[in-house]
C-alpha cells in the first residue's frame, strides 16, 4: 500500500520550492505578470496538497472540499500564468468555473451522496482540460532560445492530462482505503509522483525561460544603446555644426566641425580659454554678461557674434548654448558659420541703400504688384508725391481708382492690361492723380511683368512712378 499522506506532504514541499523560486524571480523581474500568477498558483498547490495530507486530522470540509477546490484553482491560476507568459491575456473565465464546479461536486459527493470514486472522477475530469490547455499553449508558442525546454514542458503537461483521464476511468474500481490515506493502485497515486516531478521541472523551465528573455532584452537594449550612441556621435561629429563643451570659459571639448571653423587642428582647442576666439576684451566680457545669467536660469541663449580664427580672420557665427551641469558650470554650445550669409545680407543692404539713393535722386516711387493676390507694396515716395503721409496711407486698388482722373482711367486700363497679356514689352503710361490738397499731379508709370506661370499668365509686376507735372506744364506752355 502507498501512503497518500506522505506523498501529499512531499508534493507540498516540491510545490513550495516552485512557489519560492517564482517569488524570487518575480522580485527580480516585477514586470513579468506570469511570475505573479505562477507564484500564486504554486502556493495554492502547496496549500491544497497540505490539506489533502490532513485527511482524518482536519474536518472533511477542509481536507476534502477546500483541498480539492484549491487544487483545481491552483491549476487554473497556472493556466492564466501560462497565457500571460506568451502575452495572450486572461482569456475566457472557464478556469474559474471549473474551480466552482469542483467545490459543488465535493459538497455533493461528500455530504449529499458520499462517493470517493465520484470525487476522484470529478477532480480528474476538471483538472485534465486545464493541464491539456497548458500543454497546447507551450507547444503552440515555443520561443526560439528555449524551444526544446518548452517542448518538454508541453509534453509534461500532455502526459499529466492523459494521466488524469486514465485516473478518471480507473477510479470506480480502484483499491483505496475508505479515508483515502493509502492505496495499492499506482494510477491513483501517480498524480502525486507526477506533481513532484512537475514542480521541480517547472523551476528549471522558469529559470531557463526568464534567463533567455532577460538575455534577449539585454541584447535589444544594447543594440538600441549602440544605435543611439552612433546617432549621437554622428550629430556631434557632423561637418556643419560646431559643438563645444565649456567650463569656466575654457574649452574642454570641441568637435571637428568647430575646430575646422576656427582653423585649428584636432584637439588643439582643449583647455584653451575661449577669450582667444573673441575680437577683443570688450566683446568677450559683453558676451559673458549677456549669456551666462540666461544659462544659470536654465534658459537657452542665442545670439550672432563675431569670432576670430587662428589665422586672424574674422568670421560671424550663429550660436546657441545651454547649461549641462550647474554644479560645475559646464555648458554646451552649438555654432554655425554665417559669415557668407552676413556678407550677402550686407551686400543686399548696400544695394538697397544705393537703389534708394538713386530713386530719391530721380524722385521715383518704386512699387511691386502680386497680381494673383492683389497685394501691392511700394516705397514711401509713391504716396508723398501725392501729399499723403506714408506712415498712415497705403495705396490700395480702391484708393488708386478713387484718385485716378476719370478721363485717364480708360487709357491707363488699356495700357495695363495690354502688357499683362503680353501685347507690349513693357508698361509705360501717363495719367493724372488727385493730390491731397485737390490739384492734379501728372504721373509717369513704367513697369514690367517679371514673372509668369506655365500658362504664360502674369504673376508679378514691378515698376516706378515719377512726378512729371513740371514737364507737362512746360509742354503746355
Amino acid at each position: 500500500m502507498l501512503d497518500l499522506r506522505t506523498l501529499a506532504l512531499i508534493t507540498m514541499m516540491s510545490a513550495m520550492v516552485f512557489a519560492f523560486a517564482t517569488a524570487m524571480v518575480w522580485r527580480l523581474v516585477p514586470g513579468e505578470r506570469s511570475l505573479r500568477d505562477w507564484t500564486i498558483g504554486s502556493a495554492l498547490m502547496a496549500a491544497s496538497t497540505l490539506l489533502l495530507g490532513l485527511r482524518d486530522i482536519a474536518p472533511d470540509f477542509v481536507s476534502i472540499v477546500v483541498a480539492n477546490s484549491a487544487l483545481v484553482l491552483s491549476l487554473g491560476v497556472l493556466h492564466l500564468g501560462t497565457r500571460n507568459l506568451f502575452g495572450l491575456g486572461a482569456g475566457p473565465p472557464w478556469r474559474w468555473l471549473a474551480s466552482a464546479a469542483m467545490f459543488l461536486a465535493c459538497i455533493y459527493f461528500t455530504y449529499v451522496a458520499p462517493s470517493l470514486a465520484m470525487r476522484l472522477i470529478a477532480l480528474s475530469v476538471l483538472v485534465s482540460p486545464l493541464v491539456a490547455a497548458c500543454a497546447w499553449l507551450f507547444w503552440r508558442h515555443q520561443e526560439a532560445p528555449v524551444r526544446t525546454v518548452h517542448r518538454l514542458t508541453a509534453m509534461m503537461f500532455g502526459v499529466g492530462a492523459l494521466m488524469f483521464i486514465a485516473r478518471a476511468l480507473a477510479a470506480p474500481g480502484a483499491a483505496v482505503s475508505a479515508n483515502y490515506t493509502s492505496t495499492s493502485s499506482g494510477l491513483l497515486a501517480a498524480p502525486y509522483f507526477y506533481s513532484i516531478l512537475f514542480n521541480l521541472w517547472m523551476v528549471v523551465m522558469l529559470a531557463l525561460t526568464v534567463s533567455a528573455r532577460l538575455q534577449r532584452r539585454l541584447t535589444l537594449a544594447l543594440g538600441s544603446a549602440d544605435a543611439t550612441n552612433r546617432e549621437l556621435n554622428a550629430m556631434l561629429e557632423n561637418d556643419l555644426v560646431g559643438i563645444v563643451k565649456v567650463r569656466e570659459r575654457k574649452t574642454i571639448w570641441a568637435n571637428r566641425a568647430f575646430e575646422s571653423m576656427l582653423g585649428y587642428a584636432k584637439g588643439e582647442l582643449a583647455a584653451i580659454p575661449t577669450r582667444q576666439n573673441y575680437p577683443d576684451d570688450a566683446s568677450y566680457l559683453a558676451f559673458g554678461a549677456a549669456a551666462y545669467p540666461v544659462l544659470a536660469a536654465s534658459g537657452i541663449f542665442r545670439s550672432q557674434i563675431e569670432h576670430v580664427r587662428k589665422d586672424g580672420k574674422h568670421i560671424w557665427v550663429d550660436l546657441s548654448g545651454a547649461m549641462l551641469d550647474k554644479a560645475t558650470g559646464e555648458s554646451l554650445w552649438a555654432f554655425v558659420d554665417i559669415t557668407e550669409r552676413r556678407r550677402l545680407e550686407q551686400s543686399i543692404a548696400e544695394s538697397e541703400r544705393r537703389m534708394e539713393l538713386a530713386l530719391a535722386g530721380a524722385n521715383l516711387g518704386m512699387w511691386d504688384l502680386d497680381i494673383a493676390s492683389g497685394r501691392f507694396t511700394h516705397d514711401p515716395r509713391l504716396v508723398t508725391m501725392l501729399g499723403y503721409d506714408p506712415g498712415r496711407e497705403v495705396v490700395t486698388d480702391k484708393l488708386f481708382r478713387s484718385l485716378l482722373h476719370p478721363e485717364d482711367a480708360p487709357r491707363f486700363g488699356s495700357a495695363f492690361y495690354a502688357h499683362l497679356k503680353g501685347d507690349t514689352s513693357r508698361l509705360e503710361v501717363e495719367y493724372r492723380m488727385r493730390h491731397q490738397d485737390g490739384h492734379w499731379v501728372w504721373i509717369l508709370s513704367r513697369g514690367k511683368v517679371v514673372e509668369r506661370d506655365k500658362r504664360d499668365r502674369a504673376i508679378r509686376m514691378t515698376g516706378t512712378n515719377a512726378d512729371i507735372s513740371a514737364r507737362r506744364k512746360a509742354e503746355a506752355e
Side-chain angles (χ1 to χ4, degrees), residues 383-406:
V383 293
T384 57
M385 67 177 59
L386 297 178
Y388 291 96
D389 182 357
R392 300 178 58 186
E393 202 68 54
V394 177
V395 177
T396 62
D397 180 65
K398 181 178 180 181
L399 178 63
F400 180 83
R401 292 180 183 275
S402 68
L403 298 179
L404 182 62
H405 196 291

Side-chain angles (χ1 to χ4, degrees), residues 155-174:
M155 292 171 63
M156 177 163 282
F157 273 113
V159 168
L162 294 175
M163 178 193 67
F164 279 108
I165 292 173
R167 187 189 189 210
L169 297 174

